[in-house]
Amino acid sequence: MRQPLVIANWKMHGKGAFNQALVEAFLAELKEYRAQCVLCPPFVYLGQLAELLGSSDVMLGAQDCSHIAEGAYTGEVSAQMLRDCGAQWVIVGHSERRQYHQESDALVAAKLSMAQHAGLTPVLCVGETQEQREAGEAESVVKAQLLGALDDLPDLQGLAIAYEPVWAIGTGLSASPEQAQAMHAFIRDVVTDLDATNASALRLLYGGSVKAGNAAELFAQADIDGALVGGASLDADAFAAIVSAA
Ligand code: PEP
């Protein structure tokens, strides 16, 4: 039985007073839930959130990490530094990083390995664009991203994967539960070929316009173990409802 997992990706949003109000309202809203829950603010707010989350069960994560351990790399933040700030999770290979920062599968693989060495649990993001889906290439694109990032990992323990179709991120156009389930089942098949021992325990999250209104039907699918949530995670009521639905 896989424990549901719901992760908030704040992207480049946040401000001191806003963060405090959001986290306090979210924790107050969150009553009965069995999902693991992670908040990923921008790097500079990790310390503030670590304090706000205090002894609650809600965990802290980052949105990216460097592929390098340490050195003269201006602007980079290492996985170990994130660990020092209290992060336990890190998102790796988000489509916005692939698109705007030209992150390759090889770079994503190096980041995954750094994260695991530092004791962080990485969440590997994969997903196809609208054009790729229309060309019938969705599965081959996702498979190439998975193999490119995971081929050299010794095993698939200590990892989660988020399927985030690029056309559904921030657009309000969520994949249907059936479309998402079909891709999740495909992803589980691909990872089974890589590591049959751990594939059935691996948590597969869906991301792309998840809201309070569509979360339950997505989570009802056999291979959808939770969500990576962008926009709706900036609204305490909406995010608490998604966590409760998981
Ligand atoms: C995301 O940023 O990973 C995401 C899924 O965003 P949204 O929920 O806003 O589509």
Side-chain angles (χ1 to χ4, degrees), residues 11 92-105 107-108 111 125 127-132 145 164-171:
K11 311 196 188 201
V92 174
H94 191 282
S95 62
E96 288 154 11
R97 305 272 337 155
R98 294 178 191 262
Q99 183 180 353
Y100 303 127
H101 301 272
Q102 288 74 46
E103 290 200 2
S104 64
D105 291 328
L107 187 77
V108 172
K111 290 184 177 202
C125 299
E128 80 287 356
T129 63
Q130 179 77 48
E131 296 70 39
Q132 289 164 335
Q145 289 173 340
E164 298 208 303
V166 177
W167 47 272
I169 297 180
T171 58

Side-chain angles (χ1 to χ4, degrees), residues 71-116:
Y73 298 96
T74 303
E76 288 286 278
V77 177
S78 75
Q80 190 59 57
M81 290 170 184
L82 300 175
R83 201 69 190 111
D84 284 351
C85 292
Q88 292 168 272
W89 294 78
V90 63
I91 298 168
V92 174
H94 191 282
S95 62
E96 288 154 11
R97 305 272 337 155
R98 294 178 191 262
Q99 183 180 353
Y100 303 127
H101 301 272
Q102 288 74 46
E103 290 200 2
S104 64
D105 291 328
L107 187 77
V108 172
K111 290 184 177 202
L112 276 180
S113 155
M114 273 297 159
Q116 287 194 328

Side-chain angles (χ1 to χ4, degrees), residues 177 180-181 184 188 204-206 218-219 221-226:
Q181 166 57 27
H184 281 226
R188 205 175 294 284
L204 304 183
L205 313 182
Y206 169 76
L218 287 161
F219 297 152
Q221 304 300 312
D223 286 289
I224 300 184
D225 305 312

